[in-house]
Amino acid sequence: MKLVNFNAAHSGVTITEDMQRAAAEANALLHNGKGAGNDFLGWVNLPSSITNSELSEIKRIADNLRAKAEVVVCIGIGGSYLGAKAVLEAMSNSFESLKKRHNNPTIVFAGENISEDYTYELMDALKEYSIAAIVISKSGTTTEPAIAFRLLKAEIESRYGKAEAAERIVAITDKARGALKTLATQEGYPTFVIEDNVGGRYSVLSPVGLLPLAVAGVDVEAFVEGALDMERLTSEATPIEQNPAAQYAIVRNELYKAGKKIEILGSYEPKLQYIAEWWKQLYGESEGKDLKGIFPASVTLTADLHSMGQYIQEGERTLFETIISVKNSKHEVRVEADEANLDGLNFLTGKRLSEINKMAELGVRLAHIDGGVPNLTIEIERIDERTIGQLLYFFEKGCGISGYMLGVNPFNQPGVEAYKKNMFALLDKPGYEEESKAIKARL
Ligand code: PA5
């Protein structure tokens, strides 16, 4: 079986032995725990450390929710929701909502915003369905999911009573600390633990990602298997030049040093759009600190060629592009002949859309290279659980190595706190009296 393959032939970077050595040292830090943020390295071995009994327990609880609810609301923000959302979108039929028959519960997300309209419309829509909730917060104190959970908890309790609510609500949180842990213990919710050494954005291969995916009917075993393929391939045992995550880290750091400050992750498959959202959090939060870091952006092609294509081709030359290239589609659709041929496209008659899409990809790659945008390619055989597992672990490992090569701690996010302090001060949270006065004077 072919694994996710990284290709930097069009990056313009010539990889030297010194660069390989630096990447090997960065990779070693992830394995020997001697780098910054070394108390957050639990993700490195998540695929190989998850046991059959842990997977069985995830599937048992998932089956329980599947049996009870038509709609399962997954509550969380940042690393506590993006991984599940990304894999779910990638694995789902793009038009699931139009299908009359649903074999799996519908998963919807809440707690990743505080929009009143979003929340109202969600609660309103839920009235027509039997429901359950998975609430995910490592700290157990994050405001956005806590607000959403209050509403969902009240709704579930008022519909089904407290005892049944404890069968329909599952908590995923810290093993000992935080308001959610306290509540889950008090109410008797089934609970999964986010280990102390696994940060939110690196948690998709823990119950944080696996439980919602299992509820949605995704083959979580194949997903973990895929990640394990990549854990092995990117381990210290593999020569660094054969480690695709290390090669990716080297090339993006070299491009950054050469003034390419923005990396655009693109793909020609719309169902990978949320993989890019997940990737943006992973790289943005891991590397954007100490006044450094590549700004991660994303496009979905060919759609965005008609919006961002102009800028990429001819705007500021601070960009490089990384394309997730999917080799095989799942289905076959061919262009129809048309007698009138008014659009002049009869020359495409009988061609598969995947072939046309591939030519678009190759044509765009060459045009962008000609326009001064280096191009990196991550090739995957197809979109399935195993390959997506490989891809996500590839990005995680690439991020850890890249962050260390950049000289930052890729596992903290001190900058995320600044907005919270201001928001609490503006909302008059007890304990924020001084900040409240100061901030209101600035308005
Ligand atoms: O990557 C991270 O650590 C963050 O994005 C968190 O996942 C996010 O802030 C949510 O935190 P919590 O799970 O504690 O509610």
Side-chain angles (χ1 to χ4, degrees), residues 51-66:
T51 62
N52 285 340
S53 77
E54 282 165 336
L55 273 175
S56 302
E57 181 60 4
I58 286 172
K59 287 203 291 185
R60 188 183 72 78
I61 298 289
D63 285 344
N64 195 28
L65 296 184
R66 285 167 65 82

Side-chain angles (χ1 to χ4, degrees), residues 77-80 136-142 145 194 199-201 281 285 413 416 420:
I77 194 165
S80 289
I136 308 173
S137 178
K138 184 176 182 197
S139 62
T141 55
T142 308
I194 312 175
R201 60 190 176 274
Q281 186 208 358
E285 225 168 48
Q413 54 284 330
V416 177
K420 293 185 190 167

Side-chain angles (χ1 to χ4, degrees), residues 139-249:
S139 62
T141 55
T142 308
T143 311
E144 293 90 334
I147 290 173
F149 183 53
R150 279 190 175 214
L151 292 163
L152 259 305
K153 178 175 179 286
E155 175 68 17
I156 292 174
E157 284 178 356
S158 81
R159 275 204 220 179
Y160 306 105
K162 256 186 168 298
E164 176 63 13
E167 298 282 318
R168 286 173 182 262
I169 295 173
V170 179
I172 306 181
T173 189
D174 187 87
K175 63 172 169 302
R177 288 181 303 257
L180 182 56
K181 173 64 194 165
T182 310
L183 181 76
T185 309
Q186 196 177 295
E187 304 284 335
Y189 300 152
T191 303
F192 290 94
V193 169
I194 312 175
E195 295 297 342
D196 286 347
N197 61 1
V198 177
R201 60 190 176 274
Y202 292 87
S203 68
V204 62
L205 288 147
S206 78
V208 171
L210 300 179
L211 180 68
L213 292 172
V215 173
V218 171
D219 181 349
V220 289
E221 269 139 353
F223 176 59
V224 172
E225 275 293 312
L228 184 56
D229 295 336
M230 218 14 97
E231 182 187 324
R232 290 188 178 128
L233 184 62
T234 62
S235 76
E236 282 190 287
T238 304
I240 202 72
E241 56 284 359
Q242 288 163 33
N243 175 333
Q247 302 309 297
Y248 174 52

Side-chain angles (χ1 to χ4, degrees), residues 21-201:
R21 202 170 310 115
E25 279 165 18
N27 195 32
L29 292 178
L30 296 173
H31 291 278
N32 63 27
K34 292 188 176 156
N38 55 4
D39 40 353
F40 282 100
L41 293 173
W43 60 272
V44 175
N45 301 313
L46 270 182
S48 56
S49 59
I50 190 156
T51 62
N52 285 340
S53 77
E54 282 165 336
L55 273 175
S56 302
E57 181 60 4
I58 286 172
K59 287 203 291 185
R60 188 183 72 78
I61 298 289
D63 285 344
N64 195 28
L65 296 184
R66 285 167 65 82
K68 284 178 183 291
E70 294 162 296
V71 178
V72 177
V73 186
C74 194
I75 303 167
I77 194 165
S80 289
Y81 102 100
L82 276 165
K85 171 93 178 167
V87 180
L88 191 55
E89 290 262 324
M91 297 320 309
S92 300
N93 184 302
S94 304
F95 297 94
E96 194 60 39
S97 61
L98 297 184
K99 296 216 158 201
K100 297 240 161 37
R101 278 171 193 277
H102 295 276
N103 297 326
N104 297 304
T106 300
I107 308 289
V108 295
F109 292 87
E112 84 285 18
N113 65 63
I114 328 173
S115 161
E116 191 157 357
D117 287 346
Y118 181 96
T119 309
Y120 178 90
E121 288 163 16
L122 169 67
M123 299 307 290
D124 187 50
L126 291 178
K127 284 185 191 140
E128 295 178 33
Y129 301 98
S130 55
I131 59 170
I134 302 172
V135 53
I136 308 173
S137 178
K138 184 176 182 197
S139 62
T141 55
T142 308
T143 311
E144 293 90 334
I147 290 173
F149 183 53
R150 279 190 175 214
L151 292 163
L152 259 305
K153 178 175 179 286
E155 175 68 17
I156 292 174
E157 284 178 356
S158 81
R159 275 204 220 179
Y160 306 105
K162 256 186 168 298
E164 176 63 13
E167 298 282 318
R168 286 173 182 262
I169 295 173
V170 179
I172 306 181
T173 189
D174 187 87
K175 63 172 169 302
R177 288 181 303 257
L180 182 56
K181 173 64 194 165
T182 310
L183 181 76
T185 309
Q186 196 177 295
E187 304 284 335
Y189 300 152
T191 303
F192 290 94
V193 169
I194 312 175
E195 295 297 342
D196 286 347
N197 61 1
V198 177
R201 60 190 176 274

